[in-house]
Structures are given as C-alpha cells and as structure tokens.
Amino acid sequence: MEQNEFIEKVNTIELKSKNIVRELISKPIVLLPAGYFSKLSIMYLKMWDIEVDYVADNSPNDSRWGRKIWKYSGRDYSVESVADILNTYGDKVNYIITSRPNRRAIQKQLVDGGVDEKSIFYMPARLGDLVPKNSFMRRCVIENDFDRIKYASEQLEDDDSRNQFWELLSIFYANAPVWIEKPSSEEYFQTPYLKFEDDEVFVDAGMFDGNTSLRFTEVCPNFKAIYGIEANPFNLETIYKNLSGIDNVTILNNALCNTDIMLGFSQEGKGPEGARIVDGGEISVKGLRGDDLDIQPTFIKFDIEGAEYDALLGFRKTIEKYKPNMAISVYHSLEDHWRIILLVKEICPDYKLYLEHHYGYEDLYGTILYATVE
C-alpha cells in the first residue's frame, strides 16, 4: 500500500468514526458492565473527550466494586443497577457495552428492556500498551518509518495477513476513536498457519500462569519436551501447580533477552500479566540468551511484554540452524508490528510469515506473528 492510499483509507475510517461519535455524544452515556475494563474504558474514552455519565451492572453490590465511588478525571462514579437505569432513562441515554464475551447477552437485555438498537454502542479500539499514546506522535512514527512499514507488509505471506496489518496501522494512525469489527479466535494452536507433530520441543517464553504450556500438552500429547521461561518469580507457584504431573517440563526463572546479566524487573503492569523488564524494577532477574539453552526447539512462543525483539536476537543462532515454528507477540509496542517482521526475515529468509489479530479490534492485545518454513 502506498502512503497516499493509506492516508485515504484512514480518512475514510475517521469520517465513519466521527459520525459514530456524533451519535454517541448526543445523549448521556451509560457504560456497562462494571469491572476492570470499565474503569480503563472511562479513562480511554476521556482521551477522546467522550464523557461517561453512568456505570451500570446487573450485580451493582458485587464485592469487587459494590457501591464504592470510582474517582476518575475529576468525576465520581457509582455502580448502578441496569434495571434501575433502564427504568429511569430507557432510550434517553446511549449505552456502551465494554464486554465482548457478553456482548450479545447484554444487548438482548437492553433491547428486551425497550432500548432501541441505535442507542447501543461498543467500545472503539483500545490501544493497550502501545507507545506513544498520543495520536500525533503515533502519526509521526508511522510517517517517518513508512518505507520500512510498507516493506514489512510485503513480507507477509497472504492477503488476510496484509489486510490485518494495514487495519491495525490505520487504527494507530487515526486521529479519532476507531470502530472496526473482527471476531475473536484462539492464539497459537487453532490457526491455519502451524501444524504440530509428535516429538515437538516447545519453548514457552513468557509462561505467566503456565496455561499455554498446559494447552500445548492437549494439542501435542506426544510432545518430547517443554522449556518454560518466566521472569516473574511470583508466578512460579501457579505454574508448577498447573503443570504438576506432566513429565519432561523444564521451568526457568529467567528473563529471555540478548544478555546474561542481572536485569531490573517490575510487576507493575496492566494486571499481573503485564509485568516486564524495566530499569529500576523492584526485583532483579538474570537474563538468558535462548542460544545458551543449547536445545533443538520445534516451536517457540514469545509473549514477554516488549522484550520479544531482544529475545529473538538472543535466539538467533538456534533459529537460523533449526528453523522452529514461531508465534511472536508484536503488540507490546508500535514499532514491533513491523520491526519484528523484518528481523525474522533477516534471521531466516526462508520463513513464511502470517499476521493474526486474535482479540477483536476493541482490544489491541493478541496480535501474533506466525513464522513457519513449511
């Protein structure tokens, strides 16, 4: 895609989105259900000058939030009953549903309660951990690196991957909240890109709770070995518990990167899964180069909160020699969406690359680059 085509695509998306915003802010706004993502959504909508007026939930007295006041951006919010909101306001307000898994059920409840479907909205794309947050700065990064971005897109193997790549870039570049529909799908194992055989040697880089390794044992019951690498020592107890009784599993408490020195590590992130390597972190973890493992992996999954690029460098010789299948998270920074594509092709030009965004475009987590030589 040429730069002028890209700008035209974004302009079309922005125009559609501005029309949605115009309808959305024409009435007071109710956000539902309550919970962690509702709090993030209030703050995210505020970035676009969209003010939430009420928060509603079917269980407003739930112990997780109860009738506690939420204080955000100079406003106080209490969790109201959905039934009370419907009885009091009905179609006099607009509703934003923040939960993708429960979207249909919540929409049905609202419609059954007399709400016109035109008054029901969903969250626009949330940018997650992308840096920089400011839309102007994202535009600058994309414009300055457009030639490399275009070249990276050309390295992707199929139209679906390229289309998703440009959809994501459009969201990052747009100077407006963006609504783009996409169904969710399972990461890593239910994709058309990778096939698994007996005697797989799986490297689970960024184990979190061990459930990805556990899922791997279901997909590949006759695997040869699992090497799990998790930097956060506070996750180890859960990992050992979830993988208890499974043989041929090696668990390492290291930060996978391109060095073997001690590194700062912080548990402060977007929930416990957001812990990451950071200067001045409250704990220290020893770095580990993948090449130093001296193994012959057949499949490597990287989800290590922004350290994927350095981890690939530290695994370079192994990847060049054995050409394992790979699933690499690229959503932890803006530039990773294209620079990791280019790095993988530099390490091994034989790889065929596919891009899949798994979580729907409401949450820009779960963008995975798949690499295979098959």
Side-chain angles (χ1 to χ4, degrees):
M1 181 176 291
E2 300 298 331
Q3 192 162 0
N4 61 336
E5 294 177 283
F6 175 68
I7 300 298
E8 184 176 342
K9 174 183 176 67
V10 174
N11 288 341
T12 301
I13 290 173
E14 285 186 344
L15 179 60
K16 178 181 177 182
S17 295
K18 288 173 182 176
N19 289 333
I20 294 174
V21 171
R22 188 177 297 112
E23 293 297 321
L24 177 60
I25 65 175
S26 66
K27 303 176 187 177
I29 295 172
V30 178
L31 200 70
L32 73 165
Y36 176 70
F37 281 108
S38 290
K39 295 181 179 182
L40 292 180
S41 298
I42 290 171
M43 292 183 284
Y44 182 70
L45 291 167
K46 179 83 172 173
M47 290 170 54
W48 298 111
D49 296 322
I50 299 171
E51 293 283 354
V52 173
D53 296 281
Y54 307 99
V55 178
D57 195 88
N58 284 321
S59 303
N61 295 314
D62 190 295
S63 60
R64 288 172 291 177
W65 45 82
R67 290 287 184 176
K68 297 176 183 177
I69 300 297
W70 299 356
K71 294 181 179 292
Y72 289 106
S73 305
R75 296 196 60 165
D76 294 346
Y77 297 92
S78 62
V79 181
E80 309 294 337
S81 162
V82 175
D84 288 346
I85 290 287
L86 289 173
N87 290 334
T88 304
Y89 300 105
D91 263 335
K92 297 177 183 177
V93 297
N94 284 324
Y95 300 82
I96 299 180
I97 301 174
T98 64
S99 171
R100 171 174 283 273
N102 299 315
R103 175 192 288 184
R104 290 184 179 178
I106 295 172
Q107 180 173 1
K108 183 178 186 303
Q109 179 184 8
L110 296 177
V111 172
D112 289 347
V115 176
D116 191 308
E117 287 190 1
K118 293 180 180 179
S119 295
I120 302 173
F121 297 79
Y122 311 114
M123 277 297 296
R126 287 179 288 228
L127 299 183
D129 295 333
L130 290 174
V131 179
K133 296 284 188 184
N134 182 280
S135 60
F136 173 76
M137 291 306 299
R138 292 197 304 273
R139 285 185 173 222
C140 289
V141 171
I142 291 170
E143 288 172 0
N144 290 340
D145 221 6
F146 195 85
D147 288 343
R148 290 179 75 231
I149 291 170
K150 178 186 174 185
Y151 181 71
S153 74
E154 293 167 352
Q155 307 312 301
L156 296 171
E157 196 68 22
D158 62 358
D159 287 341
D160 189 51
S161 296
R162 287 186 288 271
N163 289 339
Q164 289 186 77
F165 179 89
W166 288 113
E167 291 280 20
L168 289 163
L169 265 290
S170 299
I171 294 171
F172 304 149
Y173 191 85
N175 194 26
V178 176
W179 283 264
I180 299 177
E181 284 292 304
K182 185 184 187 303
S184 299
S185 56
E186 182 184 356
E187 297 171 291
Y188 313 132
F189 304 117
Q190 293 297 317
T191 72
Y193 313 121
L194 304 182
K195 293 182 174 62
F196 301 101
E197 309 291 344
D198 290 343
D199 296 325
E200 294 274 356
V201 177
F202 176 44
V203 177
D204 188 357
M207 296 187 79
F208 181 44
D209 56 10
N211 280 331
T212 300
S213 287
L214 189 62
R215 176 68 175 132
F216 173 76
T217 67
E218 297 170 352
V219 174
C220 302
N222 298 317
F223 70 91
K224 183 176 182 180
I226 294 174
Y227 293 86
I229 305 165
E230 173 56 43
N232 190 344
F234 297 95
N235 288 344
L236 296 181
E237 182 179 352
T238 301
I239 291 169
Y240 281 113
K241 180 180 178 181
N242 286 340
L243 296 178
S244 63
I246 299 175
D247 296 328
N248 302 318
V249 178
T250 301
I251 299 172
L252 302 172
N253 180 208
N254 293 98
L256 195 65
C257 54
N258 191 29
T259 183
D260 59 3
I261 65 173
M262 298 301 293
L263 299 168
F265 189 83
S266 176
Q267 297 181 84
E268 298 297 324
K270 303 289 186 180
E273 68 274 14
R276 64 190 63 207
I277 298 170
V278 61
D279 290 340
E282 66 269 18
I283 57 178
S284 295
V285 180
K286 187 172 178 59
L288 173 68
R289 294 186 185 90
D291 289 334
D292 293 338
L293 289 171
D294 193 24
I295 60 175
Q296 299 181 27
T298 61
F299 177 38
I300 309 175
K301 181 223 81 178
F302 296 91
D303 187 358
I304 45 179
E305 305 304 318
E308 288 82 5
Y309 190 91
D310 284 345
L312 283 163
L313 292 174
F315 242 128
R316 183 177 194 128
K317 292 179 182 178
T318 302
I319 294 169
E320 286 177 339
K321 184 174 182 179
Y322 298 112
K323 298 179 177 60
N325 289 333
M326 295 190 291
I328 309 163
S329 296
V330 298
Y331 60 89
H332 294 113
S333 82
L334 179 60
E335 292 90 337
D336 276 359
H337 286 81
W338 57 89
R339 71 172 187 155
I340 287 179
I341 292 173
L342 298 175
L343 177 59
V344 172
K345 273 294 192 179
E346 176 189 321
I347 293 172
C348 179
D350 293 339
Y351 272 119
K352 294 182 179 180
L353 303 181
Y354 303 88
L355 192 77
E356 177 75 15
H357 182 76
H358 288 282
Y359 289 5
Y361 290 135
E362 288 168 6
D363 290 300
L364 296 189
Y365 303 93
T367 305
I368 308 298
L369 180 70
Y370 293 94
T372 179
V373 294
E374 296 298 327

